[in-house]
Structures are given as C-alpha cells and as structure tokens.
C-alpha cells in the first residue's frame, strides 16, 4: 500500500513526510508497525492515512481500516459477528478508472515538507515550480519572466530555492527544467503549520487568477444532510479530479493555458 502511493521504502515514507515532527512515534516503532509486529493507536490512524495520500472514498482506505479492525479484534469469528454486518462492500471501479489510478500512482512524486516550503517561499518560486513541472521543454529566464510577469531577480532567487531541494536544474543554453516534469506532484496533507502552508498556496493562485484569469464555471450548493450521505459523494469528486489530470499536457501549444480546478466538500455548522 505504501509503494502504491509512491514511497518505495519505509525510510522514505517516514522521513519524507516529516519524521518525528509529524508522526507521534519513532521510525523504529513505525518499522515494527509496517512489519506487523505492532499496531498503531487509533488516534494515530488519521496521520498514517493522510501520509499515504488515501482519501476516504478510495478502496485502499477501506481495506486499511478493515484490516486494522480485524487485528484489534484478534479473532476472525468475533470480527464477522460484531463488525462485518456493518461494513458495506466497496463499489467496484470500472477497469478504465482503475487503470487511470494505477498510472497516476506510478507517475506520482510525493513532495516532502522541505520541498513544499521551498515552493511556497515566494510567488516566484511557486510559479517557477509550476511552470517547469508542466513543461516538457526547458525554459529560459526570459520565458519565465514573460509567463509569470515577475522580475528577473525574483525568479533567480526562486530558482535557487528550488534547486536547493532538487526541484529545478540547469539545462543547456542557460535554461532551466524540473526533474519532476514527467510526474504528478502530490503535496503534503498534514504536519505542523499545514493550514498556513495551504493559505499561502491558495493566496498565490488567487492573486494571479484575479489579475490575469477568469472563472469558466462556478456552482455552489448549500444542503442540510447526514454527514455519511455527503461523504458518499466524495467518490464523484475524486473521479472529477482524475479526469482533470488525465487531460493535462506538458507540451507548448498556442491554446494551452494554466487552469486551477477545485473540488471541496465543506461543513458549515451543525443544524
């Protein structure tokens, strides 16, 4: 399950996700969990699942929780009597959607907290990262200046920040590229200061979108419903984002633009 989300070793999973700053247990203890010699506490599960980049609607999330509950009960017959009747079978994904998810998983790269901080260190670093990771061809300083409408000094500083975290490199002819241009970058979803990071992330996008972009479609709904029913629609939202990523290109075209697509299910207040 760890390898399916792009972490090819237990060490990389633990340390790239922030290590002891994020996890409430040491690496040796995590190693015991992974080898089946220890069980995580229930309060630790949200951190582990978020680090595995598993949204609740994905089948692997359910498999993880079901396996955990089986271990907690320690007796298959007792588990079948007490828990199994309350667990709905997961909906089977069509073959094409399974293939798309496997492809995205194979091409994904999990951004570490240190890399995320470098990306968010300035608007220039942020936009240079996005431009370079979404371009098959290396870009010159002039290309980046024209695309981002930012001054050379800011772009050069941003590129140095990215280069220090191996997110940008020099190419021939004084141009720059990102070794991640063939990958789908997955940003951290938790950790100390996560909310502030996300606010910065959104601020950079909003500032430019308000000045240079436009809304192509906006639709909102406010409903009163049971939480379980609302969580049931998250599968549709995830499938929408999969379709968005499937439409992405890395080649320059006279009609290509940078788009931001958001899906959000937001609780307002109990009623």
């Amino acid at each position: 399950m760890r390898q399916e989300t792009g972490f090819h070793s237990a060490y990389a999973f633990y340390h790239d996700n922030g290590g002891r700053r994020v996890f409430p247990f040491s690496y040796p203890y995590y190693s015991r969990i992974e080898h089946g010699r220890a069980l995580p506490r229930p309060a630790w599960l949200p951190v582990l699942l978020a680090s595995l980049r598993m949204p609740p609607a994905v089948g692997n999330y359910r498999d993880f929780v079901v396996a955990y509950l089986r271990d907690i009960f320690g007796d298959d017959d007792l588990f079948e009597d007490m828990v199994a009747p309350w667990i709905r079978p997961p909906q089977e994904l069509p073959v094409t959607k399974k293939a798309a998810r496997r492809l995205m998983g194979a091409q994904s790269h999990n951004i570490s907290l240190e890399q995320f901080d470098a990306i968010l260190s300035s608007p220039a670093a942020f936009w240079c990262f996005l431009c370079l990771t979404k371009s098959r061809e290396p870009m010159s300083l002039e290309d980046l200046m024209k695309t981002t409408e930012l001054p050379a000094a800011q772009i050069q500083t941003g590129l140095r920040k990215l280069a220090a975290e191996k997110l940008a490199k020099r190419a021939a002819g004084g141009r720059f590229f990102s070794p991640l241009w063939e990958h789908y970058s997955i940003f951290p979803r938790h950790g100390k200061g996560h909310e502030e990071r996300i606010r910065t992330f959104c601020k950079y996008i909003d500032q430019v979108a308000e000045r240079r972009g436009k809304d192509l479609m906006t639709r909102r709904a406010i409903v009163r419903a049971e939480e379980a029913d609302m969580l049931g629609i998250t599968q549709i939202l995830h499938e929408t984002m999969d379709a968005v990523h499937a439409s992405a290109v890395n080649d320059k075209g006279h009609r290509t633009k940078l788009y931001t697509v958001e899906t959000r299910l937001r609780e307002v207040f109990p009623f």
Side-chain angles (χ1 to χ4, degrees):
M1 190 174 293
R2 162 178 54 73
Q3 291 179 335
E4 292 176 5
T5 52
F7 296 102
H8 301 298
S9 70
Y11 185 89
F13 171 76
Y14 184 84
H15 291 284
D16 286 354
N17 277 302
R20 199 64 178 86
R21 291 179 299 151
V22 170
F23 296 109
F25 43 79
S26 65
Y27 173 70
Y29 193 89
Y30 170 71
S31 182
R32 291 179 62 203
I33 293 174
E34 182 156 312
H35 287 89
R37 295 194 294 270
L39 275 176
R41 297 177 185 173
W44 297 350
L45 291 187
V47 175
L48 280 169
L49 289 166
S51 300
L52 288 167
R53 277 61 167 175
M54 277 194 289
V58 174
N60 284 348
Y61 184 104
R62 178 185 183 277
D63 294 341
F64 184 99
V65 174
V66 170
Y68 179 77
L69 290 174
R70 283 187 180 277
D71 287 340
I72 289 291
F73 275 79
D75 183 292
D76 283 344
D77 291 336
L78 181 60
F79 174 84
E80 292 296 330
D81 289 340
M82 299 294 295
V83 179
W86 299 96
I87 301 176
R88 292 182 295 178
Q91 293 184 344
E92 190 69 17
L93 281 176
V95 174
T96 53
K97 291 177 180 176
K98 286 183 177 178
R101 286 196 174 167
R102 281 198 297 269
L103 181 62
M104 287 180 62
Q107 294 181 340
S108 65
H109 174 82
N110 293 286
I111 300 294
S112 70
L113 286 174
E114 291 77 13
Q115 289 177 322
F116 201 20
D117 285 337
I119 294 167
L120 298 177
S121 62
S122 69
F126 179 80
W127 291 113
C128 284
F129 172 79
L130 288 180
C131 289
L132 296 179
T133 54
K134 299 184 185 302
S135 175
R136 185 187 304 270
E137 293 295 324
M139 300 181 69
S140 67
L141 180 62
E142 290 72 22
D143 291 333
L144 291 169
M145 290 172 61
K146 180 180 178 180
T147 302
T148 65
E149 296 186 348
L150 292 170
Q154 292 183 23
I155 290 176
Q156 290 170 331
T157 300
L159 287 171
R160 284 195 293 271
K161 290 276 189 178
L162 297 176
E165 292 297 332
K166 300 180 180 179
L167 297 171
K169 292 185 177 181
R170 284 189 175 274
R175 297 181 297 170
F176 302 88
F177 76 100
S178 173
L180 301 184
W181 74 267
E182 290 185 290
H183 296 269
Y184 165 59
S185 297
I186 302 177
F187 297 106
R189 295 180 180 175
H190 61 85
K192 186 177 181 180
H194 176 69
E195 294 300 324
E196 182 60 33
R197 289 185 179 94
I198 295 304
R199 281 193 291 270
T200 301
F201 184 98
C202 294
K203 179 182 69 175
Y204 289 159
I205 295 174
D206 290 341
Q207 286 174 342
V208 174
E210 289 173 5
R211 180 168 53 88
R212 302 176 59 189
K214 63 180 179 181
D215 285 345
L216 298 183
M217 191 208 79
T218 301
R219 182 174 178 179
R220 295 183 177 88
I222 299 179
V223 299
R224 183 178 187 180
E226 294 283 346
E227 181 174 329
D229 292 334
M230 296 308 295
L231 288 174
I233 71 170
T234 58
Q235 181 67 42
I236 300 172
L237 302 182
H238 288 300
E239 290 174 2
T240 299
M241 297 307 291
D242 287 345
V244 169
H245 290 299
S247 303
V249 297
N250 293 102
D251 295 303
K252 186 176 181 180
H254 70 283
R255 291 188 177 181
T256 61
K257 301 175 183 178
L258 195 66
Y259 293 90
T260 176
V261 180
E262 301 176 14
T263 61
R264 179 166 68 171
L265 177 62
R266 191 178 192 185
E267 180 183 306
V268 181
F269 57 76
F271 178 46

